[in-house]
Each structure stands twice: as C-alpha cells, then as structure tokens.
Amino acid sequence: MSIINELEWRGAINQQTDEEGLRKLTDEKSIALYCGIDPSGDSMHVGHLIPFMILKRFQLAGHKPVILIGGGTGSIGDPSGRNSERTLQTMDKIMDNADKLSAQMRKLFKAGSEESGIKLVNNYDWLSGLSFLDFLRDYGKEFNINTMLAKEVVSSRLDSGISFTEFSYQIIQSVDFLHLFKNEEVQLQIGGSDQWGNITAGLDLIRKKEGFDAKAFGLTIPLLLKADGTKFGKSAEGAIWLDPEKTTPYEFYQFWFNQDDRDVIKYLKYFSFLSKEEIDELAEKVETEPHKRAAQKALAEEMTRFVHSQEALDEAIKISQALFSGDIQDLTADQIGSTFKDVPSSEAAKGEHNLVELLVDVTGIEPSRRQAREDIKNGAIRLKGIQVKDVDYVVDEKDSFDNRFIIVRKGKKKYFLINLV
C-alpha cells in the first residue's frame, strides 16, 4: 500500500494542495517532509501526537521526516484555533519548554538520531538572526494584505481583534517552509486542519522565491472528534499529557481502555501501527464481542507502550487488575499515591486508630458511628483490600502502604485515601 493510500484508509487526510502530484512524487522517490509544534507548554498531550504519528508512517514508508520545534514561532503565538490573543511567555520559559518538547520527541521517535532517520530542528536557529528590515524587505513584500485577511485563521479573528504580532505568524511559518525547502529539501508540510492557511501561505512564498515550478505540497489532518461530537484528547480531569508527571501511565492506559466502541477503531487507525488485517480483525470483535473490549485493550497497550515503555505498560496493567479485583495489597506506596490521587482524601496521624473513630471523626468517610458500625458488620469496609468486620478493630501501620497511605474501600467501588502525617 502506498503511503497516500494508507493515510486514506486510516482516515488521516483532510485536505491536500495537489493530491495527484503528491501521490506521484511519493510513489517515485523518498521525500523530506516536516511538521512543527510550538513550545507553548512543557509537554505534549495526546492531541498533539496525531500529525507526528503521520510523520512516523512516512518514515516507515522510506521517507525522511523533519520535526520542527518552534522556539522562534513560539515567541510570536499562533492565532490558529483561537478566538483571543495569546499571553506571551518569557523567552526563558519558551526555551525551557522547547528543551522538554525536544526530549519528548527524542524519546518517542528517536528524533535527531541517525538510526531513526528523523531530523529534529528548532526554528529559533534561523529566525533569531533575521533583522526586522530584512524580514520586511525579503518576505513581507511577498505577502498581499488582502490575501492574508482572507485566510480563515485571520478572518475569524477580525471581530474580536488580532495584533500585528499574531497577524504576521503566517509569514513566519512560511519562512520556515521556505528555509526547510532550500536547506533540507523538504517538499511537504503536514499539519492540523487549522493550519491550512499557514501551509498554503508557505507554498505561495516558495513559488515566488524559488519559481512556480517548485514542487512543494501541503497536507492537513482532520479535526479528531469523538462519537458524541466533542473534541478528542481530554478526559473529565482535563488533557491527557505525555509527561508521566502530569498524567500517570496508569491514567494514560485507562484513557485509551475506556474509549467508546464507536471511536476505538478510528483511534487504532490514527494512533497505532497495527496492520490493516489486525485492525479489521479487532473491528469484527467490536461488533461480535464488545463486552471483551479487545480493541480497547489493544489500543491501550499499543499507546502506553509507545509513549511510555513496556515496563510502564506492565505496571499500568498490574494496577488495573488490582483495582478491578480489589486485591490492592501488593501495590507499592508510590503506585497508590499516583493511582488514588483523585479520589476523596483526608489526613490522619501516624499511629493507632480505632476503625470507627477513623471512619467518622478523623476522615468523615462515614456520617455517624452507628452507620460506621453497621457498614463494618455488613462487610462493606475494606482496608488494604481486606475485609474488616470487627467494630473494635485497631488500624495501625500494618494496614498502611509504607506508613504513608491507608486505602479504605466502602462497598464495591468507593475508595478513600488517607494520607498519614
């Protein structure tokens, strides 16, 4: 399957500037292509991954991807997909974010290494040396204001207002495309659907500077929506980050495992490197055995292994199985701390506590002593996954995780975290 055919099968193409020309070019030879990300934050989230997974598919098909970190454009602010002006960050913060995003790209794609065949560049390296006069004379002269105003990325902001800084963003991104075309032989830029105006502006600049027979192309990826019409990439708790300090591997695994049957095959096509035959087989299982969640399990395993590691996947599965069975005593204190960080919590002093007093007076898990005694006698209370039916039970270090946490389970699914201080 040619790379363009594969992207079409995966539903990963929204718009192309010249479908026939790009198909012919990629069938004939190995091309260089690029996608960029601005360091507006210190980590990518799962939504950011989409175009870079496309770059990886090109690399697997024998092409030469370039990942661009926007240290220069990040100091300007992309107006795409926004209805208000961005707050400018300090250059120190932008550079720190750029370093962290670069580290993520090296971890995920081995970007910058010879073995990967994927280059890693930062546009600060060439944009920072561009004087204002040179910018106006060499590039500003090539852009027609009426054309720029007509681009959706600008026109959508005219009512709410747009600064000259953000208005000029499409020129800066065009300079990037031209620079990479001339210096890295890049012939294709990939981006999200909101990048169409910026990409076509870059193509116009290349043709004006390099001649109208210059072979350069643009391709955008559809906006990924969930079956309920909401934007992909967020959970009830917020964005799903690639940084394990922001979203733990367990939370990351659960995000993918909990995807709707209506969405899971689409996400396997977008994000996994499973073959068409493997995905078709999983699609059949969604139809015939949805209760087994085989497709969700495959998606969660593929993504957690790719973004984190096999070890992180093994740990996420271990935690998931422990929580499903209620058998949590073999989890470590660190696993407990990260896994239960969003459940109701309270504090208690280290040492001994009568169970009833702990549930009512110390933590407020139970509304009254009568209710606490009743729940204990009925077997509704578990400590460290173990049922306790003794109303006179004394809770101490043996019921804790490394004398740091106590986990109380009330009923089948209600967990409470007690931080020992």
Side-chain angles (χ1 to χ4, degrees), residues 136-167:
L136 292 177
R137 289 177 59 86
D138 294 342
Y139 305 113
K141 196 71 174 173
E142 306 294 348
F143 286 80
N144 183 285
I145 288 292
N146 293 335
T147 302
M148 293 177 70
L149 289 171
K151 302 262 185 198
E152 196 276 335
V153 66
V154 173
S155 63
S156 63
R157 287 279 300 278
L158 292 180
D159 288 339
S160 60
I162 183 170
S163 69
F164 175 77
T165 298
E166 290 196 4
F167 176 68

Short mmCIF file of all heavy atoms in Angstrom, two decimals, residues 136-167:
data_model
loop_
_atom_site.label_atom_id
_atom_site.label_comp_id
_atom_site.label_asym_id
_atom_site.label_seq_id
_atom_site.Cartn_x
_atom_site.Cartn_y
_atom_site.Cartn_z
N LEU A 136 11.00 42.50 6.49
CA LEU A 136 10.05 43.28 5.69
C LEU A 136 10.44 43.26 4.21
O LEU A 136 9.59 43.09 3.33
CB LEU A 136 9.98 44.72 6.19
CG LEU A 136 9.34 44.91 7.58
CD1 LEU A 136 9.40 46.38 7.98
CD2 LEU A 136 7.90 44.43 7.59
N ARG A 137 11.73 43.45 3.93
CA ARG A 137 12.17 43.55 2.53
C ARG A 137 12.15 42.19 1.82
O ARG A 137 11.70 42.09 0.68
CB ARG A 137 13.60 44.13 2.47
CG ARG A 137 13.68 45.61 2.83
CD ARG A 137 15.13 46.09 2.82
NE ARG A 137 15.75 45.91 1.51
CZ ARG A 137 15.67 46.78 0.51
NH1 ARG A 137 14.98 47.90 0.66
NH2 ARG A 137 16.27 46.55 -0.64
N ASP A 138 12.63 41.15 2.51
CA ASP A 138 12.79 39.86 1.84
C ASP A 138 11.50 39.03 1.83
O ASP A 138 11.28 38.24 0.91
CB ASP A 138 13.89 39.04 2.52
CG ASP A 138 15.26 39.69 2.35
OD1 ASP A 138 15.41 40.54 1.46
OD2 ASP A 138 16.18 39.34 3.12
N TYR A 139 10.66 39.23 2.85
CA TYR A 139 9.48 38.37 2.96
C TYR A 139 8.16 39.15 2.99
O TYR A 139 7.20 38.79 2.32
CB TYR A 139 9.58 37.48 4.20
CG TYR A 139 10.86 36.68 4.22
CD1 TYR A 139 11.85 36.91 5.17
CD2 TYR A 139 11.08 35.69 3.26
CE1 TYR A 139 13.02 36.18 5.17
CE2 TYR A 139 12.26 34.95 3.25
CZ TYR A 139 13.23 35.21 4.21
OH TYR A 139 14.39 34.49 4.19
N GLY A 140 8.12 40.22 3.78
CA GLY A 140 6.88 41.00 3.89
C GLY A 140 6.40 41.49 2.53
O GLY A 140 5.19 41.57 2.27
N LYS A 141 7.33 41.80 1.65
CA LYS A 141 6.99 42.31 0.32
C LYS A 141 6.26 41.26 -0.51
O LYS A 141 5.54 41.61 -1.47
CB LYS A 141 8.29 42.72 -0.39
CG LYS A 141 8.10 43.61 -1.60
CD LYS A 141 7.65 45.00 -1.21
CE LYS A 141 7.59 45.94 -2.41
NZ LYS A 141 7.00 47.24 -2.05
N GLU A 142 6.42 39.99 -0.17
CA GLU A 142 5.82 38.91 -0.96
C GLU A 142 4.38 38.59 -0.54
O GLU A 142 3.73 37.76 -1.17
CB GLU A 142 6.67 37.63 -0.82
CG GLU A 142 8.14 37.79 -1.16
CD GLU A 142 8.37 38.11 -2.63
OE1 GLU A 142 7.42 37.98 -3.43
OE2 GLU A 142 9.51 38.49 -2.98
N PHE A 143 3.89 39.24 0.52
CA PHE A 143 2.57 38.91 1.05
C PHE A 143 1.59 40.06 0.82
O PHE A 143 1.86 41.21 1.18
CB PHE A 143 2.66 38.59 2.55
CG PHE A 143 3.27 37.24 2.83
CD1 PHE A 143 4.66 37.09 2.80
CD2 PHE A 143 2.48 36.14 3.10
CE1 PHE A 143 5.24 35.85 3.03
CE2 PHE A 143 3.06 34.90 3.33
CZ PHE A 143 4.43 34.76 3.30
N ASN A 144 0.45 39.72 0.23
CA ASN A 144 -0.60 40.69 -0.03
C ASN A 144 -1.55 40.73 1.17
O ASN A 144 -2.06 39.69 1.61
CB ASN A 144 -1.36 40.28 -1.30
CG ASN A 144 -2.44 41.28 -1.67
OD1 ASN A 144 -3.48 41.33 -1.04
ND2 ASN A 144 -2.17 42.07 -2.71
N ILE A 145 -1.78 41.92 1.70
CA ILE A 145 -2.63 42.07 2.88
C ILE A 145 -4.02 41.50 2.65
O ILE A 145 -4.60 40.83 3.51
CB ILE A 145 -2.72 43.55 3.30
CG1 ILE A 145 -1.40 44.02 3.90
CG2 ILE A 145 -3.84 43.75 4.32
CD1 ILE A 145 -1.06 43.40 5.23
N ASN A 146 -4.60 41.77 1.46
CA ASN A 146 -5.95 41.27 1.18
C ASN A 146 -6.00 39.74 1.23
O ASN A 146 -6.97 39.16 1.73
CB ASN A 146 -6.42 41.76 -0.20
CG ASN A 146 -6.62 43.26 -0.21
OD1 ASN A 146 -6.86 43.87 0.82
ND2 ASN A 146 -6.50 43.87 -1.39
N THR A 147 -4.95 39.11 0.71
CA THR A 147 -4.89 37.64 0.74
C THR A 147 -4.77 37.14 2.17
O THR A 147 -5.42 36.17 2.56
CB THR A 147 -3.70 37.15 -0.10
OG1 THR A 147 -3.81 37.63 -1.43
CG2 THR A 147 -3.64 35.63 -0.12
N MET A 148 -3.95 37.81 2.96
CA MET A 148 -3.77 37.41 4.35
C MET A 148 -5.06 37.56 5.15
O MET A 148 -5.41 36.70 5.96
CB MET A 148 -2.65 38.23 5.00
CG MET A 148 -1.26 37.96 4.42
SD MET A 148 0.01 39.01 5.17
CE MET A 148 0.11 38.32 6.83
N LEU A 149 -5.78 38.65 4.89
CA LEU A 149 -7.04 38.89 5.60
C LEU A 149 -8.09 37.84 5.25
O LEU A 149 -8.97 37.52 6.07
CB LEU A 149 -7.58 40.28 5.28
CG LEU A 149 -6.82 41.47 5.86
CD1 LEU A 149 -7.35 42.78 5.28
CD2 LEU A 149 -6.94 41.49 7.39
N ALA A 150 -8.01 37.32 4.05
CA ALA A 150 -9.00 36.33 3.60
C ALA A 150 -8.77 34.95 4.20
O ALA A 150 -9.68 34.12 4.19
CB ALA A 150 -9.00 36.24 2.08
N LYS A 151 -7.57 34.70 4.72
CA LYS A 151 -7.28 33.39 5.32
C LYS A 151 -8.15 33.22 6.57
O LYS A 151 -8.27 34.12 7.39
CB LYS A 151 -5.81 33.28 5.71
CG LYS A 151 -4.84 33.49 4.54
CD LYS A 151 -4.37 32.21 3.98
CE LYS A 151 -3.31 32.42 2.91
NZ LYS A 151 -3.14 31.24 2.07
N GLU A 152 -8.72 32.03 6.72
CA GLU A 152 -9.66 31.79 7.82
C GLU A 152 -9.01 32.05 9.18
O GLU A 152 -9.66 32.55 10.10
CB GLU A 152 -10.16 30.35 7.75
CG GLU A 152 -11.40 30.07 8.59
CD GLU A 152 -11.09 29.76 10.05
OE1 GLU A 152 -9.96 29.31 10.33
OE2 GLU A 152 -11.96 30.01 10.90
N VAL A 153 -7.73 31.72 9.30
CA VAL A 153 -7.04 31.89 10.56
C VAL A 153 -7.03 33.36 11.00
O VAL A 153 -7.02 33.66 12.20
CB VAL A 153 -5.60 31.34 10.46
CG1 VAL A 153 -4.76 32.16 9.49
CG2 VAL A 153 -4.92 31.30 11.82
N VAL A 154 -7.05 34.30 10.04
CA VAL A 154 -7.10 35.73 10.34
C VAL A 154 -8.53 36.24 10.34
O VAL A 154 -8.96 36.97 11.26
CB VAL A 154 -6.25 36.53 9.34
CG1 VAL A 154 -6.43 38.04 9.56
CG2 VAL A 154 -4.78 36.17 9.49
N SER A 155 -9.30 35.90 9.31
CA SER A 155 -10.66 36.43 9.17
C SER A 155 -11.54 36.09 10.38
O SER A 155 -12.40 36.88 10.77
CB SER A 155 -11.31 35.90 7.89
OG SER A 155 -11.45 34.49 7.92
N SER A 156 -11.29 34.92 10.98
CA SER A 156 -12.10 34.52 12.14
C SER A 156 -11.81 35.37 13.37
O SER A 156 -12.58 35.35 14.33
CB SER A 156 -11.84 33.05 12.47
OG SER A 156 -10.48 32.85 12.85
N ARG A 157 -10.70 36.11 13.32
CA ARG A 157 -10.30 36.92 14.48
C ARG A 157 -10.55 38.41 14.28
O ARG A 157 -10.29 39.19 15.19
CB ARG A 157 -8.81 36.69 14.76
CG ARG A 157 -8.48 35.33 15.38
CD ARG A 157 -8.72 35.34 16.88
NE ARG A 157 -7.88 36.34 17.51
CZ ARG A 157 -6.60 36.14 17.83
NH1 ARG A 157 -6.03 34.97 17.56
NH2 ARG A 157 -5.90 37.08 18.41
N LEU A 158 -11.04 38.81 13.13
CA LEU A 158 -11.16 40.24 12.87
C LEU A 158 -12.16 40.93 13.79
O LEU A 158 -11.96 42.08 14.19
CB LEU A 158 -11.54 40.47 11.40
CG LEU A 158 -10.44 40.11 10.38
CD1 LEU A 158 -10.94 40.37 8.97
CD2 LEU A 158 -9.16 40.88 10.67
N ASP A 159 -13.24 40.23 14.13
CA ASP A 159 -14.23 40.86 15.00
C ASP A 159 -13.72 41.01 16.43
O ASP A 159 -13.93 42.05 17.07
CB ASP A 159 -15.52 40.02 15.01
CG ASP A 159 -16.29 40.12 13.71
OD1 ASP A 159 -16.06 41.10 12.98
OD2 ASP A 159 -17.09 39.22 13.42
N SER A 160 -13.02 39.99 16.93
CA SER A 160 -12.53 40.05 18.31
C SER A 160 -11.20 40.79 18.41
O SER A 160 -10.82 41.23 19.49
CB SER A 160 -12.37 38.63 18.88
OG SER A 160 -11.46 37.88 18.10
N GLY A 161 -10.51 40.91 17.27
CA GLY A 161 -9.25 41.65 17.25
C GLY A 161 -8.05 40.73 17.17
O GLY A 161 -8.04 39.64 17.75
N ILE A 162 -7.04 41.15 16.44
CA ILE A 162 -5.79 40.39 16.31
C ILE A 162 -4.63 41.37 16.22
O ILE A 162 -4.71 42.39 15.52
CB ILE A 162 -5.83 39.47 15.06
CG1 ILE A 162 -4.56 38.62 14.98
CG2 ILE A 162 -6.04 40.26 13.78
CD1 ILE A 162 -4.64 37.53 13.92
N SER A 163 -3.57 41.11 16.95
CA SER A 163 -2.42 42.01 16.95
C SER A 163 -1.60 41.80 15.68
O SER A 163 -1.72 40.78 15.00
CB SER A 163 -1.53 41.73 18.18
OG SER A 163 -0.91 40.47 18.05
N PHE A 164 -0.73 42.76 15.38
CA PHE A 164 0.18 42.62 14.24
C PHE A 164 1.09 41.41 14.46
O PHE A 164 1.45 40.71 13.51
CB PHE A 164 1.02 43.88 14.05
CG PHE A 164 2.06 43.74 12.97
CD1 PHE A 164 1.70 43.82 11.63
CD2 PHE A 164 3.39 43.50 13.28
CE1 PHE A 164 2.65 43.67 10.63
CE2 PHE A 164 4.34 43.35 12.29
CZ PHE A 164 3.97 43.43 10.96
N THR A 165 1.43 41.16 15.73
CA THR A 165 2.31 40.04 16.04
C THR A 165 1.70 38.72 15.57
O THR A 165 2.31 37.96 14.82
CB THR A 165 2.56 39.97 17.57
OG1 THR A 165 3.22 41.17 17.98
CG2 THR A 165 3.43 38.78 17.94
N GLU A 166 0.46 38.44 15.99
CA GLU A 166 -0.17 37.19 15.58
C GLU A 166 -0.58 37.22 14.11
O GLU A 166 -0.58 36.19 13.44
CB GLU A 166 -1.37 36.87 16.48
CG GLU A 166 -0.95 36.50 17.90
CD GLU A 166 -2.03 35.82 18.71
OE1 GLU A 166 -3.12 35.55 18.16
OE2 GLU A 166 -1.79 35.54 19.90
N PHE A 167 -0.91 38.40 13.60
CA PHE A 167 -1.25 38.53 12.18
C PHE A 167 -0.06 38.10 11.31
O PHE A 167 -0.23 37.51 10.24
CB PHE A 167 -1.63 39.99 11.89
CG PHE A 167 -1.91 40.29 10.45
CD1 PHE A 167 -3.03 39.76 9.82
CD2 PHE A 167 -1.06 41.09 9.72
CE1 PHE A 167 -3.31 40.04 8.48
CE2 PHE A 167 -1.32 41.38 8.38
CZ PHE A 167 -2.44 40.85 7.77
#
